[in-house]
Amino acid sequence: MNVLVWLAAILLLLMVWVGGKQGARSFLSLFLNFGVIFLTVMFMMDPAVNPILITFIASILIGCVSLFFINEVNGKTTIAFISTMVTIVILLVFIVIVSQKLMIQGFGEEEEEAISGLSLYIGVDFMKIGASVIIMSTIGAIMDVAISIASSMHEIFKHNPLLSKKELFKSGVSIGRDILGTDTNTLFFAFFGGYLALLIWFKDLNYSIGEIVNSKIFSSEMILILCAGMGVALVIPIASWINAYFLVKTREK
């Protein structure tokens, strides 16, 4: 416990030193988002509640904390929030369809020993829980891209306010292309970092490449990465168009 307190204190000092008041708000937002996730899990345990609806509400709250609480309410954060929510809605529909078709919910055979003494009759829809997990895992990356594009496009417009809507859109997409590769790789390596022990276990059990790819636990995580990558790619044109529309409308007024 002492180690956790010291690490949290060091993180707080670094964030305040680098970001000042905004850094302090960023540190506090970690606990606020943790509270949102904790409440989301509590509500999901109620069989009468739709986990996907709860996840969407949680995404709105997380977006408000991560964008408005940290960076305050302004044109950039408002557009980033709208872009994030539009992308989440589109992605949510796609993820529900994919989850129903691929049946990735539940536990794999590698996890049978760990859950053998537990009851699986908990009364919740594992398909919807699986879709919720994917959304909660992607919202951070989507918001990151949305606010990056919004900030960059506002800066471009500030220095060159005569740009047309089409030129602004192209600039936003160009910025998004540079972000796309790094964010996708971040998601990819986050998976392999978190599941390195599982891959070592696969190696010790002499799994073939085909067995690894077809194992439920591996395929479900790969689908998570692919869906997250799709969300990151999708938010780029959405955020670029909304920013271009908003900036041109502001100039005309």
Side-chain angles (χ1 to χ4, degrees):
M1 185 64 183
N2 290 334
V3 175
L4 294 177
V5 172
W6 276 106
L7 288 175
I10 292 171
L11 177 61
L12 174 60
L13 290 174
L14 288 173
M15 293 180 76
V16 172
W17 178 53
V18 174
K21 292 182 179 180
Q22 190 171 2
R25 288 198 297 266
S26 299
F27 181 81
L28 182 58
S29 70
L30 296 175
F31 296 94
L32 294 176
N33 283 331
F34 175 79
V36 172
I37 294 174
F38 181 79
L39 290 175
T40 301
V41 174
M42 295 295 292
F43 280 113
M44 281 185 180
M45 297 305 295
D46 185 353
V49 173
N50 188 334
I52 295 177
L53 177 60
I54 294 298
T55 302
F56 182 70
I57 295 173
S59 299
I60 294 174
L61 295 176
I62 291 172
C64 290
V65 171
S66 301
L67 294 172
F68 299 138
F69 177 73
I70 296 175
N71 300 300
E72 301 180 347
V73 179
N74 52 53
K76 292 180 287 187
T77 54
T78 301
I79 294 174
F81 177 79
I82 295 172
S83 303
T84 300
M85 291 303 109
V86 171
T87 305
I88 289 293
V89 170
I90 297 172
L91 197 62
L92 192 56
V93 174
F94 176 78
I95 288 173
V96 170
I97 296 173
V98 169
S99 299
Q100 290 175 339
K101 295 293 183 181
L102 298 181
M103 302 293 290
I104 60 172
Q105 69 275 7
F107 301 94
E109 59 182 11
E110 294 82 10
E111 301 167 298
E112 288 180 356
E113 184 177 349
I115 64 173
S116 58
L118 304 176
S119 174
L120 300 181
Y121 296 99
I122 60 175
V124 297
D125 190 334
F126 274 90
M127 188 279 293
K128 293 179 179 178
I129 294 293
S132 299
V133 169
I134 296 175
I135 287 296
M136 296 297 286
S137 302
T138 60
I139 186 172
I142 292 172
M143 281 192 300
D144 180 41
V145 175
I147 191 63
S148 297
I149 291 176
S151 298
S152 301
M153 289 185 67
H154 274 70
E155 194 66 23
I156 291 172
F157 185 77
K158 178 181 177 181
H159 292 285
N160 195 348
L162 298 179
L163 288 173
S164 65
K165 186 186 298 183
K166 184 177 181 181
E167 290 172 328
L168 284 169
F169 176 77
K170 287 183 177 180
S171 298
V173 173
S174 179
I175 294 166
R177 289 196 189 105
D178 296 332
I179 302 172
L180 179 62
T182 54
D183 269 41
T184 306
N185 277 284
T186 299
L187 295 168
F188 180 77
F189 288 114
F191 160 73
F192 279 100
Y195 282 84
L196 185 60
L198 176 66
L199 298 175
I200 294 173
W201 189 23
F202 283 157
K203 178 62 177 177
D204 288 340
L205 294 176
N206 296 317
Y207 271 44
S208 65
I209 297 297
E211 289 173 325
I212 293 175
V213 172
N214 286 286
S215 65
K216 176 175 282 190
I217 188 170
F218 182 86
S219 60
S220 62
E221 290 300 323
M222 287 304 300
I223 289 170
L224 189 152
I225 293 172
L226 294 174
C227 289
M230 290 172 59
V232 171
L234 188 61
V235 75
I236 292 172
I238 291 174
S240 299
W241 187 87
I242 294 176
N243 275 283
Y245 178 83
F246 174 81
L247 292 171
V248 171
K249 279 291 183 181
T250 302
R251 181 182 62 197
E252 291 175 353
K253 289 180 181 179

